[in-house]
Amino acid sequence: MPCSIYSVLFIAALLQLHGLQVVSAAKSCSCRTAEQKAVKDLQFRVSYTPTTTDSVVLSGWSAGGGDRRKIPFSNSSSPGFTIPFEGREYGGGSRKQIYGTRAYGSGYPYGVSSSTTIAGRPFPFVMWPISWGPGYLGGEEYDGPTMGLIRPGGPLGVAKVGTTDVGRWPYVSSDEVYEIIGDKESLNFIMAQLVDRCKITPQWPIPFNPLSTTANTTRPETVIQYYRASSFALAFSDYNNTFALPSNATTIQGWDQSSPLPINLTRSSFLLCVNSTIGSALPIMRIPTPKSGLSTGALVGIVIGGIFGGCIAWIMVFKIYMYYKERKTARRQKEQKNARRRRRGAHREEAEIELVGAEAVEDDGKTLVNRNDEEESVKGAKVEEHGKENVVYL
């Protein structure tokens, strides 16, 4: 089914009591995104007393599970006030246990004590089972003039489930129309999910009246699947399960103890989408996130440990700092010492050069004097010899 503002507004109308910001989603993003936002995060509270101290939260797509609880007993100080089904257990049912069969009273994870009545049973998924009126397997205890007003999730209703989206479902005929039966909150949520996921044509729920004499009234023999301990059901008006007639029905009938479905339903991918969406999304009890249970002693220990650990860390950092500082100082002192050695070596070399120069000059001076003396001696000898020659020849 193509995205349209009609589908967004329909889903918004279904979920307007759940606090979802559907209008702002439609303004700020695409139509498809607005539809997706509208069908997420549904939750509502259920309480078995006028107070909310014992209330539980049911949530779509929740995994369920958790501990069982007990409905409190009426207060003896208020004799005019009674709590329905006081003392019975409720809760603990998980998503894996949500499917029943075609038998009314099927799908109970615990508390099945009789195959001929569901009266007196617990509420594994918090919600009360559907009631088909007086005389049908004990379900009349969940019906009555005032029971609809206090029923968890609101009064029972029924809604049509069909589609005209031939693009998504080209082989679905106009006669393939189902009914879903359940409390108001669950009906509205599942309708929105089916519009989004299976592209069904949106329909408003109407009050559920199993005692109506009209031809198309939903009856136990038209149910093809129970869910959530028989508190929600999927029916098909052209199906007739003779095993579910009042004269034959029991609460423990299996799949083999039911009339076969029409052949077109066994091959219907549309029915597969509807059935799997209901089973996966139907609101059940949500397990609260556990809170931190640290004692005062644990908190004190954490604080002291943090302080001690901080001191140790500071000491380690200080030691590392001092180690590298000492290494740097030693390296600097070594460099200074080497520099002094290099300077002393340079001075020594200069002094040796000066000494060698001085000795060389002195040697040169001595050589020059000796040479002068020798020349004077030679000259004297020559003069003396010349004198002698003059004397001889004169």
Side-chain angles (χ1 to χ4, degrees), residues 368-385:
L368 182 58
V369 170
N370 292 334
R371 286 178 179 175
N372 291 336
D373 291 343
E374 289 177 357
E375 290 177 356
E376 288 294 333
S377 298
V378 171
K379 287 181 180 181
K382 286 181 178 181
V383 171
E384 183 179 357
E385 182 179 356

Side-chain angles (χ1 to χ4, degrees), residues 107-172:
Y108 276 76
Y110 62 89
V112 177
S113 57
S114 172
S115 63
T116 59
T117 181
I118 64 169
R121 287 190 182 183
F123 308 108
F125 296 95
V126 182
M127 313 302 282
W128 299 352
I130 296 167
S131 175
W132 294 103
Y136 193 81
L137 297 176
E140 60 270 14
E141 76 168 346
Y142 308 106
D143 192 17
T146 61
M147 297 300 281
L149 298 176
I150 60 176
R151 172 182 281 271
L156 291 175
V158 59
K160 300 289 184 181
V161 176
T163 184
T164 57
D165 190 348
V166 294
R168 173 73 182 275
W169 309 109
Y171 303 109
V172 174

Side-chain angles (χ1 to χ4, degrees), residues 176-195:
E176 190 174 340
V177 178
Y178 305 95
E179 295 90 28
I180 49 176
I181 309 102
D183 61 277
K184 176 180 70 69
E185 296 283 1
S186 299
L187 274 179
N188 289 343
F189 180 67
I190 290 299
M191 178 62 70
Q193 296 291 332
L194 294 175
V195 169

Side-chain angles (χ1 to χ4, degrees), residues 285-324:
M285 186 173 173
R286 188 187 70 185
I287 305 303
T289 303
K291 297 180 179 180
S292 175
L294 294 177
S295 63
T296 303
L299 293 174
V300 171
I302 291 173
V303 172
I304 294 176
I307 295 173
F308 182 75
C311 293
I312 295 297
W314 186 88
I315 292 172
M316 290 180 66
V317 170
F318 179 75
K319 284 184 173 292
I320 293 172
Y321 168 76
M322 292 302 297
Y323 169 75
Y324 282 102

